[in-house]
Amino acid sequence: MNVMLTCAGRRNYLVNFFQTALQDRGYVIAGDASLEAAALQEADKSVLLPLVSDPNYFDRLFDLCQDHQIRLLIPLNDLELPLLARQRDRFLKIGTILVVSAPEVIDTCFDKWATFQFLENHGILAPKTYLSAIDARQAIAQGKLSFPVMIKPRWGSASIGVVEAEDEEELELAYQYVRKILHKTILASISATDPDRCVMVQEKIIGQEYGLDIINDLDGNYVTTSIKRKLSMRAGETDRAITVADERLAQIGATIGRSTRHIGNLDCDVMIDDRGLYAIELNPRFGGGYLFSHLAGINLPAALIAWAEREPVDPHWLKFKPDVISSKCDRAIVHHRYLPR
């Protein structure tokens, strides 16, 4: 029962969580495009991967899964999800289960315009969203939208190209700036599929931000939602949070989980203001906030392993304790001089 994490980067905690969950029944292999990635130093085995954009990336992954008898493959990079989702059957033939949702789910979550439409169609509030600066200015003139607004890539990842605008001049400058820089980023290829509508203008919701870990099993059945109130942010990720019990947020999680039938974890950001609850982002993978759910009692790695092996799942693995405050912190990692490739 071996597990592989791709694009492992600094996610040492995920390596450790899966190692603990395996209970010496297998090993955790971590892959990254840099052998100096921190997570590779603590994995049981470490491998050098090509960049996700490399045409050999998925063949390399396939060979590694075959060579190391990987049972669960956990992808951690937004850009690999759309292509990996279309290769599920290929990997299943060698006994590897991809913890990746169906292509249509990945496409909906990656395309923020499609996300907006999905949320509206399922009765979930979402920030007003426009696919051009012209449409946004018309909405402002009609009183349907007001400043500040957010300008962001339609296909986004890691907060790349997200800019706030306070007035008409900033809106135009920011819109043109984001369009200009996209071709220099990892989002260049996907943005080129619709170059005239690759940048969005979105209403900025000002309120308290929450993070949801919406958990489905490997067959896409909804299981539970873990809820955190974000207390502080750092470099675009939650730095400190407290778990909370909130039936309204739990219902949003249940609606999304049952509607998407995603696989494993879906990370969702929600803002609450005096008008209601607004879903902001859907990311169908382990998000940076999963750590806070785990520290409050959720054990998704153990559940994934049990589901993969068709074993009973301990109900305690899928319940979190409210009012648990936890924080991320830096620590030093000593690098091995040589790592197996």
Side-chain angles (χ1 to χ4, degrees), residues 131-164:
L131 274 180
S132 75
I134 293 174
D135 290 344
R137 282 196 293 269
Q138 288 177 346
I140 291 169
Q142 295 167 358
K144 298 178 181 178
L145 179 67
S146 59
F147 289 105
V149 297
M150 304 303 298
I151 293 85
K152 58 176 66 174
R154 175 177 171 179
W155 293 276
S157 179
S159 299
I160 294 170
V162 177
V163 182
E164 182 176 341

Side-chain angles (χ1 to χ4, degrees), residues 262-275:
H262 67 273
I263 302 299
N265 196 20
L266 187 149
D267 177 73
C268 173
D269 291 333
V270 176
M271 295 290 292
I272 300 181
D273 68 8
D274 55 6
R275 298 172 298 169

Side-chain angles (χ1 to χ4, degrees), residues 204-210 229-230 233 270-278 280:
K204 181 179 180 181
I205 307 298
I206 300 173
Q208 177 61 57
E209 186 171 2
Y210 290 78
R229 185 169 77 242
K230 300 185 180 186
M233 303 290 290
V270 176
M271 295 290 292
I272 300 181
D273 68 8
D274 55 6
R275 298 172 298 169
L277 288 70
Y278 292 79
I280 308 295

Side-chain angles (χ1 to χ4, degrees), residues 61-80:
L61 268 188
F62 183 85
D63 291 342
L64 286 168
C65 287
Q66 194 165 36
D67 293 346
H68 293 277
Q69 296 179 306
I70 299 300
R71 183 64 171 153
L72 280 176
L73 179 65
I74 318 287
L76 301 175
N77 186 302
D78 292 326
L79 299 180
E80 64 185 320

Side-chain angles (χ1 to χ4, degrees), residues 1 25 72 301-314 317:
M1 180 63 209
R25 292 190 296 165
L72 280 176
L304 287 171
I305 290 167
W307 287 326
E309 297 296 273
R310 300 297 177 183
E311 297 173 350
V313 173
D314 187 333
W317 293 343

Side-chain angles (χ1 to χ4, degrees), residues 190-206:
I190 186 65
S191 298
T193 61
D194 195 350
D196 294 329
R197 302 194 306 167
C198 64
V199 177
M200 306 188 317
V201 181
Q202 196 169 65
E203 174 187 19
K204 181 179 180 181
I205 307 298
I206 300 173

